Amino acid sequence: MPVISAPHAFNEGHLYVDLEPVLGCRLYLKCEGFNFAGSIKLKAANEMVEAAEREGLLTADSILVESSSGNLGVALSMIAASKGYRFLCVTDSRCNLSTRLLMEALGSDVHIVADLDANGGFLGKRIDYVRDLCASDERYVWLSQYTNAGNWRAHYRTTAPEIAGHFPRLDVLFIGAGTTGTLMGCARYFRQWHRPVRIVAVDSVGSVAFGGEPGRRMIPGLGMSMRPPLLDESYVDEVIRVEEADTIRTCHRLARRGFLFGGSTGTVVSGATDWLARHDTRGLTAVAIAPDLGERYLDTIYQTNWLQDLYGEDLLDSEEVPAPSRRAVNRDRRGEH
């Protein structure tokens, strides 16, 4: 095992779960939650902070500020604590309580936005708050995960090559869409690879990232209430939108087999299993990316009262996850690879 002196120096990127015994379909799940930040967001946070340091944007007096639904906030809290920076996370009421407490335990300040934006989400109001803060005090440095190229470059340099090294015959890759940093980094890498890889983006119903009508979204992580500035749809072959009820059922199904994952992972796995059920998977190598683990969701998607209040008492009645109805957008661009 390595000996480290900084928490961001450790990140296990080579762990995969074979989900066939659990789900009955051939799917490998890349687990990104085994680091001190607990999620894939550590990669983007580290890339963006180091770039800001190289460019001289961060000084001893700087105060990092970022809008985050949770996981990036934790990653930046950890890095800021390690490097001696102050950090303010601007989040909203959907942020899990355990996530907020974790950021505060690491010494960060947390501001919660309560007002909705024009699309019925909180993102627009969170960004407005950050912009006003930066305009009022030059000490604040906003990394802007939504527009920062370091967000996707982190996954171009790390996540995608890790997958390619384990699965040289990869056919299809399922990636959750939030800021689309992971999606764009991996898609750009595999566009240049030695064989075509179908890139399937998995989004939440109610998100407007790929168009469509905005709707209620209670699970933080995936989905956006605005079009992600980093998104280039020419790299995406297909989009699957998953209902939150199916996300929760999938999380509980995995938990019944001992795998406690977060809401983003439940969404990606739900979308992937639906896609695989509709396609001929003989000889197909399929990988999905699990952004985080489930401990931070114990008071939400794994809490009975929370589930019943929002989704009704019958949500988890079935022991098996039903074949859900999903809306898929096909973009057959395999010839462009």
Side-chain angles (χ1 to χ4, degrees):
M1 295 296 289
V3 176
I4 63 171
S5 58
H8 49 279
F10 172 76
N11 193 358
E12 174 54 66
H14 302 283
L15 179 64
Y16 297 82
V17 176
D18 180 356
L19 290 180
E20 187 168 12
V22 180
L23 302 176
C25 59
R26 295 188 58 190
L27 178 65
Y28 296 99
L29 188 63
K30 187 179 195 301
C31 300
E32 290 282 350
F34 292 98
N35 56 60
F36 285 101
S39 81
I40 196 171
K41 289 293 189 177
L42 175 61
K43 292 176 173 178
N46 201 39
E47 183 87 14
M48 292 188 294
V49 168
E50 289 188 348
E53 289 175 331
R54 288 194 302 269
E55 294 165 11
L57 299 177
L58 284 173
T59 67
D61 295 328
S62 296
I63 305 171
L64 281 168
V65 60
E66 186 57 82
S67 161
S68 170
S69 62
N71 281 338
L72 183 71
V74 172
L76 286 173
S77 293
M78 187 193 76
I79 292 172
S82 175
K83 291 176 173 284
Y85 297 119
R86 292 174 59 190
F87 172 57
L88 169 64
C89 180
V90 179
T91 188
D92 58 66
S93 56
R94 294 177 307 168
C95 179
N96 297 324
L97 174 61
S98 58
T99 299
R100 177 170 63 82
L101 294 176
L102 180 53
M103 288 188 282
E104 291 174 344
L106 289 165
S108 298
D109 294 318
V110 180
H111 177 82
I112 299 175
V113 170
D115 296 331
L116 296 174
D117 59 27
N119 285 323
F122 295 98
L123 181 57
K125 294 295 185 179
R126 283 174 13 201
I127 291 176
D128 287 345
Y129 184 88
V130 172
R131 284 177 173 153
D132 290 345
L133 199 63
C134 292
S136 69
D137 190 333
E138 62 182 11
R139 293 177 301 167
Y140 284 99
V141 176
W142 181 25
L143 298 176
S144 184
Q145 62 166 323
Y146 312 106
T147 60
N148 195 320
N151 190 347
W152 67 261
R153 285 195 187 112
H155 303 288
Y156 183 92
R157 292 195 310 103
T158 61
T159 308
E162 288 164 1
I163 295 170
H166 278 272
F167 299 99
R169 303 294 296 174
L170 179 68
D171 295 297
V172 58
L173 180 61
F174 300 95
I175 311 169
T179 64
T180 67
T182 307
L183 175 64
M184 287 293 95
C186 291
R188 282 188 168 94
Y189 180 91
F190 283 111
R191 178 64 62 87
Q192 302 167 356
W193 209 34
H194 67 91
R195 59 180 277 122
V197 174
R198 190 166 190 84
I199 301 296
V200 180
V202 185
D203 198 9
S204 301
V205 169
S207 164
V208 301
F210 295 89
E213 292 296 318
R216 184 189 77 165
R217 292 180 294 113
M218 300 305 297
I219 301 174
L222 300 186
M224 293 273 279
S225 58
M226 57 179 267
R227 180 179 172 82
L230 295 176
L231 176 62
D232 182 343
E233 291 188 62
S234 69
Y235 287 93
V236 180
D237 295 301
E238 189 172 351
V239 179
I240 296 177
R241 295 178 174 89
V242 176
E243 296 278 1
E244 288 193 333
D246 294 321
T247 292
I248 292 163
R249 291 188 187 104
T250 300
C251 285
H252 281 258
R253 186 177 181 182
L254 292 169
R256 289 197 297 268
R257 298 296 296 270
F259 293 109
L260 194 72
F261 285 106
S264 297
T265 299
T267 302
V268 174
V269 172
S270 180
T273 54
D274 177 68
W275 189 96
L276 293 168
R278 294 185 283 105
H279 292 78
D280 182 0
T281 59
R282 288 174 295 180
L284 191 78
T285 299
V287 173
I289 298 176
D292 60 3
L293 301 177
E295 292 92 337
R296 295 174 194 169
Y297 300 81
L298 294 177
D299 57 348
T300 54
I301 62 176
Y302 294 107
Q303 213 279 332
T304 302
N305 291 338
W306 188 87
L307 292 178
Q308 291 179 348
D309 288 346
L310 291 174
Y311 305 98
E313 296 184 359
D314 300 329
L315 178 66
L316 299 176
D317 279 356
S318 174
E319 282 298 306
E320 293 298 322
V321 179
S325 133
R326 294 197 173 83
R327 288 168 285 175
V329 180
N330 291 301
R331 297 182 173 86
D332 195 353
R333 298 193 177 97
R334 295 183 70 82
E336 298 178 10
H337 286 210

